[in-house]
Amino acid sequence: MSRQIKLIWDFRGAAAAKTAEHHEIHLKEYISAEKLPLNITGFTILNEMHAIAFMVVTDEDMIAVRDKLKPHRGEVF
């Protein structure tokens, strides 16, 4: 099994939670449209002014997804 990478988008401000929640919808749409092998997405509220949305991709798909969707950061899942 190849390595899994968690791509992360950071959202800050009073609307961070709602923005991250909405961004996850678009990540799911992208996974469906591109027929990616993994279907792991989510959003996490870190505090009232910072939330993240994320998706997990395989190592093979990471560069193409990164270049197209421009996440703020990534980490090994």
Side-chain angles (χ1 to χ4, degrees), residues 2-63:
S2 67
R3 195 166 59 155
Q4 295 178 346
I5 308 295
K6 181 178 181 181
L7 301 176
I8 302 168
W9 289 261
D10 291 287
F11 300 97
R12 298 181 189 275
K18 287 288 189 186
T19 305
E21 184 178 6
H22 182 77
H23 192 72
E24 182 191 13
I25 294 168
H26 293 295
L27 295 176
K28 288 179 179 182
E29 290 170 348
Y30 180 81
I31 288 171
S32 177
E34 297 295 321
K35 298 176 179 52
L36 294 177
L38 294 177
N39 191 16
I40 302 170
T41 63
F43 72 96
T44 304
I45 301 168
L46 301 175
N47 63 48
E48 63 185 32
M49 298 295 279
H50 185 200
I52 64 169
F54 64 87
M55 73 184 289
V56 177
V57 297
T58 61
D59 208 18
E60 293 81 23
D61 295 322
M62 189 274 299
I63 292 178

